[in-house]
Amino acid sequence: MHQGQSARNEKEWSAFQRKFRSEIKQSGAERILDLLAALSHTADFSLGCYCQDENRCHRSVLRQMLVERSAAFAEL
């Protein structure tokens, strides 16, 4: 379980999201998100993890970051 999953309240979850976004930015992974967003318009792929609750999971933050980059998503 990562730190986001253990957030006990909205304040802790917000702090986790800010820290996670900062780590993505500092590591240069934003370029990878840009690439994935561009590829999403011509290729099918998935991102996943083993967290039980997507609402308190880093993948929900990644999804939002891809939305911000106009990524295309499959309709469920």
Side-chain angles (χ1 to χ4, degrees):
M1 178 175 1
H2 64 75
Q3 188 178 13
Q5 289 282 316
S6 64
R8 295 178 300 242
N9 55 49
E10 287 305 311
K11 183 177 179 181
E12 289 181 4
W13 174 240
S14 292
F16 169 80
Q17 290 180 81
R18 283 190 305 276
K19 183 178 180 191
F20 186 75
R21 283 177 173 268
S22 176
E23 289 173 358
I24 293 290
K25 192 173 203 170
Q26 290 176 0
S27 70
E30 286 185 311
R31 292 182 302 204
I32 295 170
L33 292 177
D34 292 339
L35 176 61
L36 290 173
L39 286 172
S40 72
H41 295 276
T42 59
D44 294 330
F45 60 89
S46 63
L47 301 174
C49 70
Y50 295 103
C51 296
Q52 292 179 354
D53 182 3
E54 182 179 358
N55 294 315
R56 292 285 172 110
C57 174
H58 59 285
R59 79 177 176 265
S60 67
V61 182
L62 287 172
R63 179 180 177 80
Q64 182 58 41
M65 294 175 85
L66 288 167
V67 166
E68 293 163 6
R69 289 164 169 76
S70 300
F73 291 89
E75 302 216 12
L76 301 176

